[in-house]
PDB file of all heavy atoms in Angstrom:
ATOM      1  N   CYS A 194       0.843  -1.191   0.000  1.00  0.00           N
ATOM      2  CA  CYS A 194       0.000   0.000   0.000  1.00  0.00           C
ATOM      3  C   CYS A 194       0.878   1.241   0.000  1.00  0.00           C
ATOM      4  O   CYS A 194       1.902   1.287   0.668  1.00  0.00           O
ATOM      5  CB  CYS A 194      -0.910   0.023   1.224  1.00  0.00           C
ATOM      6  SG  CYS A 194      -2.056  -1.351   1.266  1.00  0.00           S
ATOM      7  N   ASN A 195       0.449   2.259  -0.749  1.00  0.00           N
ATOM      8  CA  ASN A 195       1.220   3.486  -0.834  1.00  0.00           C
ATOM      9  C   ASN A 195       0.257   4.651  -0.913  1.00  0.00           C
ATOM     10  O   ASN A 195      -0.558   4.729  -1.823  1.00  0.00           O
ATOM     11  CB  ASN A 195       2.118   3.454  -2.076  1.00  0.00           C
ATOM     12  CG  ASN A 195       3.014   4.662  -2.158  1.00  0.00           C
ATOM     13  OD1 ASN A 195       3.109   5.432  -1.213  1.00  0.00           O
ATOM     14  ND2 ASN A 195       3.664   4.835  -3.283  1.00  0.00           N
ATOM     15  N   LYS A 196       0.355   5.581   0.037  1.00  0.00           N
ATOM     16  CA  LYS A 196      -0.491   6.762   0.035  1.00  0.00           C
ATOM     17  C   LYS A 196       0.307   7.925  -0.512  1.00  0.00           C
ATOM     18  O   LYS A 196       1.369   8.255  -0.013  1.00  0.00           O
ATOM     19  CB  LYS A 196      -0.976   7.077   1.446  1.00  0.00           C
ATOM     20  CG  LYS A 196      -1.900   8.258   1.506  1.00  0.00           C
ATOM     21  CD  LYS A 196      -2.416   8.482   2.892  1.00  0.00           C
ATOM     22  CE  LYS A 196      -3.350   9.676   2.901  1.00  0.00           C
ATOM     23  NZ  LYS A 196      -3.834   9.955   4.237  1.00  0.00           N
ATOM     24  N   ASN A 197      -0.215   8.547  -1.557  1.00  0.00           N
ATOM     25  CA  ASN A 197       0.456   9.674  -2.176  1.00  0.00           C
ATOM     26  C   ASN A 197       0.053  10.938  -1.428  1.00  0.00           C
ATOM     27  O   ASN A 197      -1.060  11.414  -1.561  1.00  0.00           O
ATOM     28  CB  ASN A 197       0.069   9.768  -3.650  1.00  0.00           C
ATOM     29  CG  ASN A 197       0.813  10.872  -4.355  1.00  0.00           C
ATOM     30  OD1 ASN A 197       1.658  11.526  -3.768  1.00  0.00           O
ATOM     31  ND2 ASN A 197       0.488  11.072  -5.609  1.00  0.00           N
ATOM     32  N   THR A 198       0.958  11.514  -0.647  1.00  0.00           N
ATOM     33  CA  THR A 198       0.653  12.703   0.141  1.00  0.00           C
ATOM     34  C   THR A 198       1.185  13.974  -0.499  1.00  0.00           C
ATOM     35  O   THR A 198       0.965  15.050   0.009  1.00  0.00           O
ATOM     36  CB  THR A 198       1.253  12.571   1.552  1.00  0.00           C
ATOM     37  OG1 THR A 198       2.666  12.382   1.436  1.00  0.00           O
ATOM     38  CG2 THR A 198       0.631  11.419   2.298  1.00  0.00           C
ATOM     39  N   LYS A 199       1.870  13.879  -1.621  1.00  0.00           N
ATOM     40  CA  LYS A 199       2.446  15.061  -2.251  1.00  0.00           C
ATOM     41  C   LYS A 199       1.509  15.698  -3.260  1.00  0.00           C
ATOM     42  O   LYS A 199       1.819  16.723  -3.831  1.00  0.00           O
ATOM     43  CB  LYS A 199       3.777  14.701  -2.920  1.00  0.00           C
ATOM     44  CG  LYS A 199       4.803  14.247  -1.914  1.00  0.00           C
ATOM     45  CD  LYS A 199       6.129  13.994  -2.542  1.00  0.00           C
ATOM     46  CE  LYS A 199       7.046  13.451  -1.443  1.00  0.00           C
ATOM     47  NZ  LYS A 199       8.407  13.578  -1.711  1.00  0.00           N
ATOM     48  N   GLY A 200       0.356  15.106  -3.529  1.00  0.00           N
ATOM     49  CA  GLY A 200      -0.615  15.685  -4.441  1.00  0.00           C
ATOM     50  C   GLY A 200      -0.145  15.722  -5.880  1.00  0.00           C
ATOM     51  O   GLY A 200      -0.245  16.728  -6.553  1.00  0.00           O
ATOM     52  N   SER A 201       0.366  14.630  -6.357  1.00  0.00           N
ATOM     53  CA  SER A 201       0.867  14.556  -7.722  1.00  0.00           C
ATOM     54  C   SER A 201      -0.242  14.872  -8.718  1.00  0.00           C
ATOM     55  O   SER A 201      -1.327  14.316  -8.653  1.00  0.00           O
ATOM     56  CB  SER A 201       1.429  13.156  -7.979  1.00  0.00           C
ATOM     57  OG  SER A 201       1.752  13.009  -9.333  1.00  0.00           O
ATOM     58  N   SER A 202       0.031  15.793  -9.643  1.00  0.00           N
ATOM     59  CA  SER A 202      -0.987  16.187 -10.603  1.00  0.00           C
ATOM     60  C   SER A 202      -1.241  15.108 -11.653  1.00  0.00           C
ATOM     61  O   SER A 202      -2.255  15.131 -12.326  1.00  0.00           O
ATOM     62  CB  SER A 202      -0.581  17.489 -11.288  1.00  0.00           C
ATOM     63  OG  SER A 202       0.609  17.289 -12.020  1.00  0.00           O
ATOM     64  N   SER A 203      -0.329  14.157 -11.815  1.00  0.00           N
ATOM     65  CA  SER A 203      -0.535  13.107 -12.811  1.00  0.00           C
ATOM     66  C   SER A 203      -1.630  12.131 -12.389  1.00  0.00           C
ATOM     67  O   SER A 203      -2.152  11.409 -13.215  1.00  0.00           O
ATOM     68  CB  SER A 203       0.773  12.356 -13.068  1.00  0.00           C
ATOM     69  OG  SER A 203       1.170  11.667 -11.908  1.00  0.00           O
ATOM     70  N   GLN A 204      -1.980  12.108 -11.099  1.00  0.00           N
ATOM     71  CA  GLN A 204      -3.015  11.207 -10.621  1.00  0.00           C
ATOM     72  C   GLN A 204      -4.236  11.977 -10.133  1.00  0.00           C
ATOM     73  O   GLN A 204      -5.057  11.447  -9.423  1.00  0.00           O
ATOM     74  CB  GLN A 204      -2.466  10.338  -9.497  1.00  0.00           C
ATOM     75  CG  GLN A 204      -1.376   9.415  -9.951  1.00  0.00           C
ATOM     76  CD  GLN A 204      -0.846   8.563  -8.819  1.00  0.00           C
ATOM     77  OE1 GLN A 204      -1.249   8.704  -7.673  1.00  0.00           O
ATOM     78  NE2 GLN A 204       0.063   7.673  -9.121  1.00  0.00           N
ATOM     79  N   SER A 205      -4.376  13.217 -10.515  1.00  0.00           N
ATOM     80  CA  SER A 205      -5.454  14.058 -10.053  1.00  0.00           C
ATOM     81  C   SER A 205      -6.696  13.898 -10.930  1.00  0.00           C
ATOM     82  O   SER A 205      -6.602  13.701 -12.131  1.00  0.00           O
ATOM     83  CB  SER A 205      -4.997  15.513 -10.072  1.00  0.00           C
ATOM     84  OG  SER A 205      -6.055  16.361  -9.712  1.00  0.00           O
ATOM     85  N   LEU A 206      -7.864  14.008 -10.321  1.00  0.00           N
ATOM     86  CA  LEU A 206      -9.123  13.952 -11.055  1.00  0.00           C
ATOM     87  C   LEU A 206      -9.637  15.341 -11.396  1.00  0.00           C
ATOM     88  O   LEU A 206     -10.675  15.472 -12.032  1.00  0.00           O
ATOM     89  CB  LEU A 206     -10.182  13.232 -10.219  1.00  0.00           C
ATOM     90  CG  LEU A 206     -10.052  11.727 -10.109  1.00  0.00           C
ATOM     91  CD1 LEU A 206     -11.132  11.174  -9.189  1.00  0.00           C
ATOM     92  CD2 LEU A 206     -10.149  11.073 -11.458  1.00  0.00           C
ATOM     93  N   LEU A 207      -8.938  16.383 -10.980  1.00  0.00           N
ATOM     94  CA  LEU A 207      -9.399  17.737 -11.220  1.00  0.00           C
ATOM     95  C   LEU A 207      -9.495  18.020 -12.712  1.00  0.00           C
ATOM     96  O   LEU A 207      -8.659  17.591 -13.491  1.00  0.00           O
ATOM     97  CB  LEU A 207      -8.452  18.747 -10.565  1.00  0.00           C
ATOM     98  CG  LEU A 207      -8.348  18.687  -9.047  1.00  0.00           C
ATOM     99  CD1 LEU A 207      -7.355  19.716  -8.550  1.00  0.00           C
ATOM    100  CD2 LEU A 207      -9.699  18.893  -8.403  1.00  0.00           C
ATOM    101  N   GLY A 208     -10.534  18.747 -13.089  1.00  0.00           N
ATOM    102  CA  GLY A 208     -10.727  19.097 -14.491  1.00  0.00           C
ATOM    103  C   GLY A 208     -12.044  18.547 -15.014  1.00  0.00           C
ATOM    104  O   GLY A 208     -12.906  18.119 -14.265  1.00  0.00           O
ATOM    105  N   THR A 209     -12.203  18.562 -16.317  1.00  0.00           N
ATOM    106  CA  THR A 209     -13.424  18.095 -16.972  1.00  0.00           C
ATOM    107  C   THR A 209     -13.157  16.767 -17.666  1.00  0.00           C
ATOM    108  O   THR A 209     -12.183  16.621 -18.390  1.00  0.00           O
ATOM    109  CB  THR A 209     -13.921  19.133 -17.994  1.00  0.00           C
ATOM    110  OG1 THR A 209     -14.157  20.360 -17.304  1.00  0.00           O
ATOM    111  CG2 THR A 209     -15.208  18.678 -18.649  1.00  0.00           C
ATOM    112  N   TRP A 210     -14.048  15.819 -17.418  1.00  0.00           N
ATOM    113  CA  TRP A 210     -13.936  14.476 -17.975  1.00  0.00           C
ATOM    114  C   TRP A 210     -15.199  14.172 -18.769  1.00  0.00           C
ATOM    115  O   TRP A 210     -16.290  14.571 -18.409  1.00  0.00           O
ATOM    116  CB  TRP A 210     -13.784  13.451 -16.854  1.00  0.00           C
ATOM    117  CG  TRP A 210     -12.530  13.606 -16.079  1.00  0.00           C
ATOM    118  CD1 TRP A 210     -12.280  14.539 -15.120  1.00  0.00           C
ATOM    119  CD2 TRP A 210     -11.352  12.830 -16.195  1.00  0.00           C
ATOM    120  NE1 TRP A 210     -11.011  14.371 -14.629  1.00  0.00           N
ATOM    121  CE2 TRP A 210     -10.419  13.337 -15.269  1.00  0.00           C
ATOM    122  CE3 TRP A 210     -10.990  11.762 -16.994  1.00  0.00           C
ATOM    123  CZ2 TRP A 210      -9.159  12.796 -15.139  1.00  0.00           C
ATOM    124  CZ3 TRP A 210      -9.720  11.225 -16.846  1.00  0.00           C
ATOM    125  CH2 TRP A 210      -8.823  11.739 -15.927  1.00  0.00           C
ATOM    126  N   GLU A 211     -15.045  13.427 -19.853  1.00  0.00           N
ATOM    127  CA  GLU A 211     -16.177  13.037 -20.686  1.00  0.00           C
ATOM    128  C   GLU A 211     -16.346  11.523 -20.671  1.00  0.00           C
ATOM    129  O   GLU A 211     -15.372  10.782 -20.776  1.00  0.00           O
ATOM    130  CB  GLU A 211     -15.959  13.504 -22.124  1.00  0.00           C
ATOM    131  CG  GLU A 211     -17.129  13.205 -23.031  1.00  0.00           C
ATOM    132  CD  GLU A 211     -16.910  13.737 -24.432  1.00  0.00           C
ATOM    133  OE1 GLU A 211     -15.777  13.620 -24.938  1.00  0.00           O
ATOM    134  OE2 GLU A 211     -17.865  14.258 -24.990  1.00  0.00           O
ATOM    135  N   LEU A 212     -17.589  11.074 -20.534  1.00  0.00           N
ATOM    136  CA  LEU A 212     -17.893   9.642 -20.555  1.00  0.00           C
ATOM    137  C   LEU A 212     -17.628   9.095 -21.948  1.00  0.00           C
ATOM    138  O   LEU A 212     -18.147   9.602 -22.935  1.00  0.00           O
ATOM    139  CB  LEU A 212     -19.355   9.410 -20.164  1.00  0.00           C
ATOM    140  CG  LEU A 212     -19.820   7.958 -20.111  1.00  0.00           C
ATOM    141  CD1 LEU A 212     -19.099   7.215 -18.997  1.00  0.00           C
ATOM    142  CD2 LEU A 212     -21.311   7.895 -19.920  1.00  0.00           C
ATOM    143  N   ARG A 213     -16.802   8.073 -22.044  1.00  0.00           N
ATOM    144  CA  ARG A 213     -16.444   7.506 -23.348  1.00  0.00           C
ATOM    145  C   ARG A 213     -16.982   6.095 -23.544  1.00  0.00           C
ATOM    146  O   ARG A 213     -17.051   5.606 -24.661  1.00  0.00           O
ATOM    147  CB  ARG A 213     -14.919   7.478 -23.513  1.00  0.00           C
ATOM    148  CG  ARG A 213     -14.279   8.837 -23.512  1.00  0.00           C
ATOM    149  CD  ARG A 213     -14.788   9.715 -24.646  1.00  0.00           C
ATOM    150  NE  ARG A 213     -14.618   9.153 -25.952  1.00  0.00           N
ATOM    151  CZ  ARG A 213     -13.570   9.307 -26.726  1.00  0.00           C
ATOM    152  NH1 ARG A 213     -12.567  10.037 -26.328  1.00  0.00           N
ATOM    153  NH2 ARG A 213     -13.525   8.741 -27.907  1.00  0.00           N
ATOM    154  N   ALA A 214     -17.342   5.413 -22.447  1.00  0.00           N
ATOM    155  CA  ALA A 214     -17.876   4.054 -22.568  1.00  0.00           C
ATOM    156  C   ALA A 214     -18.860   3.807 -21.438  1.00  0.00           C
ATOM    157  O   ALA A 214     -18.751   4.380 -20.366  1.00  0.00           O
ATOM    158  CB  ALA A 214     -16.750   3.028 -22.525  1.00  0.00           C
ATOM    159  N   SER A 215     -19.830   2.960 -21.704  1.00  0.00           N
ATOM    160  CA  SER A 215     -20.858   2.644 -20.724  1.00  0.00           C
ATOM    161  C   SER A 215     -21.186   1.159 -20.785  1.00  0.00           C
ATOM    162  O   SER A 215     -21.256   0.584 -21.865  1.00  0.00           O
ATOM    163  CB  SER A 215     -22.108   3.480 -21.017  1.00  0.00           C
ATOM    164  OG  SER A 215     -23.155   3.119 -20.163  1.00  0.00           O
ATOM    165  N   GLN A 216     -21.387   0.574 -19.604  1.00  0.00           N
ATOM    166  CA  GLN A 216     -21.774  -0.833 -19.544  1.00  0.00           C
ATOM    167  C   GLN A 216     -22.727  -1.000 -18.380  1.00  0.00           C
ATOM    168  O   GLN A 216     -22.523  -0.463 -17.310  1.00  0.00           O
ATOM    169  CB  GLN A 216     -20.562  -1.731 -19.362  1.00  0.00           C
ATOM    170  CG  GLN A 216     -20.907  -3.193 -19.397  1.00  0.00           C
ATOM    171  CD  GLN A 216     -19.676  -4.081 -19.349  1.00  0.00           C
ATOM    172  OE1 GLN A 216     -18.585  -3.625 -19.086  1.00  0.00           O
ATOM    173  NE2 GLN A 216     -19.863  -5.341 -19.615  1.00  0.00           N
ATOM    174  N   SER A 217     -23.794  -1.749 -18.592  1.00  0.00           N
ATOM    175  CA  SER A 217     -24.788  -1.963 -17.564  1.00  0.00           C
ATOM    176  C   SER A 217     -25.071  -3.449 -17.443  1.00  0.00           C
ATOM    177  O   SER A 217     -25.444  -4.091 -18.426  1.00  0.00           O
ATOM    178  CB  SER A 217     -26.061  -1.208 -17.921  1.00  0.00           C
ATOM    179  OG  SER A 217     -27.053  -1.453 -16.959  1.00  0.00           O
ATOM    180  N   SER A 218     -24.889  -3.960 -16.253  1.00  0.00           N
ATOM    181  CA  SER A 218     -25.182  -5.358 -15.949  1.00  0.00           C
ATOM    182  C   SER A 218     -24.468  -6.284 -16.931  1.00  0.00           C
ATOM    183  O   SER A 218     -23.266  -6.222 -17.073  1.00  0.00           O
ATOM    184  CB  SER A 218     -26.689  -5.575 -15.945  1.00  0.00           C
ATOM    185  OG  SER A 218     -27.003  -6.876 -15.530  1.00  0.00           O
ATOM    186  N   MET A 219     -25.196  -7.106 -17.641  1.00  0.00           N
ATOM    187  CA  MET A 219     -24.580  -8.057 -18.560  1.00  0.00           C
ATOM    188  C   MET A 219     -24.648  -7.594 -20.012  1.00  0.00           C
ATOM    189  O   MET A 219     -24.332  -8.343 -20.922  1.00  0.00           O
ATOM    190  CB  MET A 219     -25.232  -9.430 -18.399  1.00  0.00           C
ATOM    191  CG  MET A 219     -24.982 -10.020 -17.029  1.00  0.00           C
ATOM    192  SD  MET A 219     -25.583 -11.688 -16.841  1.00  0.00           S
ATOM    193  CE  MET A 219     -24.591 -12.567 -18.007  1.00  0.00           C
ATOM    194  N   LEU A 220     -25.063  -6.343 -20.238  1.00  0.00           N
ATOM    195  CA  LEU A 220     -25.097  -5.809 -21.595  1.00  0.00           C
ATOM    196  C   LEU A 220     -23.679  -5.531 -22.068  1.00  0.00           C
ATOM    197  O   LEU A 220     -22.788  -5.242 -21.268  1.00  0.00           O
ATOM    198  CB  LEU A 220     -25.924  -4.520 -21.632  1.00  0.00           C
ATOM    199  CG  LEU A 220     -27.400  -4.683 -21.269  1.00  0.00           C
ATOM    200  CD1 LEU A 220     -28.077  -3.334 -21.230  1.00  0.00           C
ATOM    201  CD2 LEU A 220     -28.092  -5.597 -22.256  1.00  0.00           C
ATOM    202  N   PRO A 221     -23.435  -5.578 -23.359  1.00  0.00           N
ATOM    203  CA  PRO A 221     -22.078  -5.328 -23.853  1.00  0.00           C
ATOM    204  C   PRO A 221     -21.672  -3.863 -23.673  1.00  0.00           C
ATOM    205  O   PRO A 221     -22.514  -2.978 -23.530  1.00  0.00           O
ATOM    206  CB  PRO A 221     -22.154  -5.693 -25.331  1.00  0.00           C
ATOM    207  CG  PRO A 221     -23.593  -5.631 -25.668  1.00  0.00           C
ATOM    208  CD  PRO A 221     -24.350  -5.941 -24.419  1.00  0.00           C
TER     209      PRO A 221
END
């Protein structure tokens, strides 16, 4: 286990993201 306490921007979720794929239950 490794906790990143330096706030690396390469692993940040900040910003705008767009959904590119969707899957529900057993549907493809």
Side-chain angles (χ1 to χ4, degrees):
C194 297
N195 184 10
K196 182 177 180 182
N197 184 3
T198 58
K199 297 184 184 201
S201 172
S202 63
S203 65
Q204 295 180 357
S205 176
L206 286 177
L207 297 179
T209 301
W210 295 77
E211 183 177 41
L212 181 66
R213 297 300 303 270
S215 175
Q216 184 174 11
S217 178
S218 186
M219 295 186 64
L220 297 175

